[in-house]
Amino acid sequence: MTNDKPVDHHDTHEDVLVHTEGRAAYLTLNRPKALNALSHPMVLRIGEALTAWADDPAVEAVVLRGAGERGLCAGGDIRAIHEDARTGGTASAGFWRDEYRLNALIARYPKPYVALMDGIVMGGGVGVSAHGSVRVVTERSRVAMPETGIGFVPDVGGTYLLALAPGELGTHLALTGAPVGAADALLCGLADHFVPSSALPALARELAADPVHAVLERHVEEAPAGSLAAAREWIDHCYAADTAEEIVARLRAAGVPAAEAAADTLTAKSPTAVKVTLAALRRARRLGPLEKVLEQEYRVSCAALASHDLVEGIRAQVIDKDRDPRWAPAALEDVTPADVDRYFAPLDAHELRLVAAASSQEVVW
């Protein structure tokens, strides 16, 4: 996040400010009152800009940042998804289709893509940043995929990223939705560099004049200590269990306060979402490239749109804010294998197909 104002042409009324300066192009998510939550038009605008810059010899690097002081991006527009799910609409499916295409585009972008992951970076915010080639976190960073708390499942390539984290760290983060700071984001492969938040304005400014590696050399520091490295023993043991029920049992039996707290957190989430998330992560490990995982996530997200728990979870956490969701089924043991399998059923003519683009060197949008 920086408060730098673009010095080039831009429309200050837009939710994504797009401008170029020197050798760099800048994307500023500009909905600070909504914590820069992504809308469908924002996704399309980012994709169009990236596609144009990919072939522009004047643009040597792209910088993504968020307006305001609270975060890069808190995710998608949850209220819009709630209304769509409640009324049986299809707008969210269309949004996800373009959002996941954008995630794949960022992951294969042919130029340095510098994501300034300051403050809150959650859900869709992870999707537009953590697939980039240069991911910068600060002492204020809080990176999370909190979807199980609203009856949803990590998407935007989140199951791909978390499946690649060391040991079972990704499983822990995906099931509990726990946020991580800079050091733990680095450990989990969600970020590359630590830079103090006070240095971000200078870093962003200098990228207009100097190569990315030279600017990073001036600003990168060692991140303050995290907590996950010391917890690897119990995390790797507990989350390696075959089922969600066994994971909870192992957490309860670990004799570690943090493991007990993780069990409490996990069992407060949507039981269906927890089981589907576990299955999605383990399938992601076998699927291969990001595009394959995004295609799977699209199936899962579309199935969630028709579920009770997504509507109920958003109601409890965002709409009514009573923090008392009534999940159905209400317990992990009541979620059957058939309930889980339904989320992975093919969508036939409605499938998201990205793999063809993955085999090409061209940027496809």
Side-chain angles (χ1 to χ4, degrees):
M1 294 175 296
T2 80
N3 287 320
D4 284 9
K5 292 189 175 177
V7 299
D8 207 350
H9 60 278
H10 68 280
D11 183 347
T12 56
H13 298 292
E14 294 199 26
D15 290 342
V16 180
L17 303 181
V18 176
H19 85 288
T20 58
E21 183 181 345
R23 62 193 295 148
Y26 297 83
L27 292 164
T28 304
L29 306 183
N30 190 38
R31 296 181 67 199
K33 291 181 180 178
L35 248 170
N36 300 319
L38 292 172
S39 65
H40 200 162
M42 291 170 71
V43 164
L44 295 175
R45 181 148 174 77
I46 294 168
E48 290 163 0
L50 290 178
T51 302
W53 291 332
D55 296 322
D56 185 346
V59 174
E60 298 185 28
V62 173
V63 183
L64 175 76
R65 55 192 178 181
E69 291 295 323
R70 296 171 60 205
L72 172 67
C73 175
D77 190 336
I78 296 298
R79 288 178 178 270
I81 293 172
H82 177 267
E83 183 63 19
D84 197 36
R86 191 181 63 81
T87 59
T90 60
S92 296
F95 167 65
W96 291 324
R97 182 177 290 274
D98 287 330
E99 184 182 25
Y100 300 175
R101 290 172 65 213
L102 176 61
N103 303 146
L105 174 66
I106 291 168
R108 295 191 177 275
Y109 204 63
K111 298 178 179 181
Y113 181 96
V114 184
L116 305 184
M117 301 171 66
D118 191 23
I120 292 173
V121 185
M122 296 186 178
V126 172
V128 294
S129 60
H131 297 298
S133 54
V134 183
R135 305 163 301 175
V136 176
V137 284
T138 77
E139 78 285 354
R140 302 191 298 196
S141 295
R142 293 294 178 269
V143 184
M145 296 299 293
E147 284 77 8
T148 56
I150 57 167
F152 198 46
V153 176
D155 65 335
V156 299
T159 61
Y160 176 84
L161 294 166
L162 294 174
L164 292 175
E168 296 294 335
L169 292 179
T171 311
H172 169 63
L173 297 182
L175 299 189
T176 62
V180 294
D184 290 334
L186 293 165
L187 173 64
C188 291
L190 300 172
D192 304 302
H193 306 286
F194 172 81
V195 173
S197 60
S198 60
L200 287 189
L203 182 150
R205 205 165 43 242
E206 291 167 22
L207 287 169
D210 297 320
V212 173
H213 67 86
V215 176
L216 288 174
E217 284 178 2
R218 294 197 283 266
H219 295 291
V220 169
E221 299 182 9
E222 184 174 348
S227 61
L228 289 182
R232 279 289 301 277
E233 185 175 356
W234 66 262
I235 287 176
D236 288 353
H237 168 70
C238 294
Y239 289 95
D242 290 336
T243 67
E245 292 94 328
E246 178 60 23
I247 288 172
V248 172
R250 290 189 185 188
L251 289 169
R252 298 285 189 208
V256 179
E260 186 75 28
D264 290 341
T265 298
L266 196 159
T267 52
K269 308 301 183 184
S270 159
T272 301
V274 165
K275 284 200 168 182
V276 174
T277 296
L278 182 61
L281 279 172
R282 295 190 169 165
R283 289 175 181 234
R285 289 174 176 168
R286 304 190 298 268
L287 281 173
L290 169 64
E291 287 81 0
K292 278 277 193 184
V293 180
L294 285 165
E295 290 173 353
Q296 172 178 273
E297 289 180 349
Y298 187 71
R299 292 187 195 121
V300 171
S301 296
C302 288
L305 193 62
S307 72
H308 165 274
D309 277 9
L310 180 60
V311 174
E312 174 61 10
I314 298 175
R315 180 207 64 76
Q317 300 296 339
V318 179
I319 307 299
D320 297 339
K321 299 183 180 179
D322 58 26
R323 309 288 192 261
D324 185 27
R326 291 166 175 79
W327 307 121
L332 287 169
E333 55 268 25
D334 296 329
V335 181
T336 68
D339 292 334
V340 174
D341 288 344
R342 180 179 68 80
Y343 281 75
F344 298 92
L347 298 173
D348 301 325
H350 300 291
E351 289 276 21
L352 175 64
R353 302 194 187 279
L354 295 170
V355 174
S359 63
S360 169
Q361 293 304 305
E362 296 181 12
V363 177
V364 178
W365 175 246

